[in-house]
Amino acid sequence: MKKQYVVGISALVIGAVVGMFLMPCTPKIAVVNVNQIVRSYPKLSLVQRENSVKVGELSQWLDAAQKKIDAEKDKTKKANLIKQTQAVALQKKNAIQQEYAQKTAELDNEITEIVSQVAKKNGCKIVFAKTSVVSGGIDITDKVLEKFKEEK
């Protein structure tokens, strides 16, 4: 009985070792052109346009506030108006920047998820930016761009 146990374990170990040599050990590596992917992501241009509109609105608000400041003759009231305008402008600018940063972070996560899906579909477990790889790797940039079109 003990002899059968040892033979069984030995066969299992030999099978595992042979299997390791027969199976490919190196995972397939994908590369992507990050700049091209980011520039081509349709949702990014929408977020950028929204941000530009908000920055334009802030600029218009500042122009109107500047006219009020210029129209004020009393130096004390003018100084208070300047302080108030600066404080409100800073709050609005920070809110715009924070919203833009949040939306771009969400887009970054979406892009990363799409790249991961495409890589997985093509049997790749690792993805590098194309600029960090001297040679080799499977370029999946075009497949990611196709996926963008499908999701549009």
Side-chain angles (χ1 to χ4, degrees):
M1 178 79 168
K2 194 173 187 181
K3 191 173 185 180
Q4 288 176 335
Y5 180 74
V6 171
V7 172
I9 295 294
S10 298
L12 187 62
V13 169
I14 291 170
V17 170
V18 169
M20 285 180 9
F21 286 107
L22 294 177
M23 292 191 327
C25 299
T26 308
K28 289 169 84 176
I29 297 174
V31 295
V32 291
N33 184 328
V34 175
N35 291 331
Q36 185 178 2
I37 286 174
V38 170
R39 278 192 321 263
S40 300
Y41 194 54
K43 292 181 183 179
L44 180 61
S45 60
L46 293 173
V47 169
Q48 288 172 331
R49 273 187 252 133
E50 287 175 5
N51 191 62
S52 292
V53 167
K54 289 179 182 181
V55 169
E57 290 170 353
L58 177 59
S59 180
Q60 289 175 347
W61 180 86
L62 284 170
D63 289 343
Q66 185 63 50
K67 287 179 183 175
K68 286 182 184 178
I69 292 168
D70 292 343
E72 184 58 59
K73 301 297 179 200
D74 185 287
K75 288 185 179 184
T76 306
K77 288 182 181 178
K78 192 173 198 167
N80 287 336
L81 198 54
I82 289 171
K83 282 184 181 179
Q84 288 174 343
T85 302
Q86 287 175 337
V88 172
L90 184 60
Q91 286 175 339
K92 289 183 178 212
K93 179 185 138 218
N94 288 341
I96 291 169
Q97 288 176 335
Q98 190 174 28
E99 182 181 357
Y100 183 72
Q102 178 185 353
K103 287 183 178 181
T104 54
E106 290 169 4
L107 293 180
D108 183 49
N109 290 337
E110 289 177 19
I111 291 170
T112 300
E113 179 60 30
I114 291 169
V115 169
S116 295
Q117 289 172 5
V118 171
K120 187 176 181 179
K121 185 178 179 181
N122 287 276
C124 300
K125 295 184 182 214
I126 301 171
V127 181
F128 285 106
K130 196 171 184 176
T131 56
S132 359
V133 177
V134 176
S135 74
I138 300 165
D139 191 344
I140 60 169
T141 303
D142 291 337
K143 293 176 182 173
V144 172
L145 297 176
E146 288 174 21
K147 182 85 170 169
F148 287 171
K149 290 177 185 175
E150 290 173 14
E151 293 190 1
K152 200 172 185 183

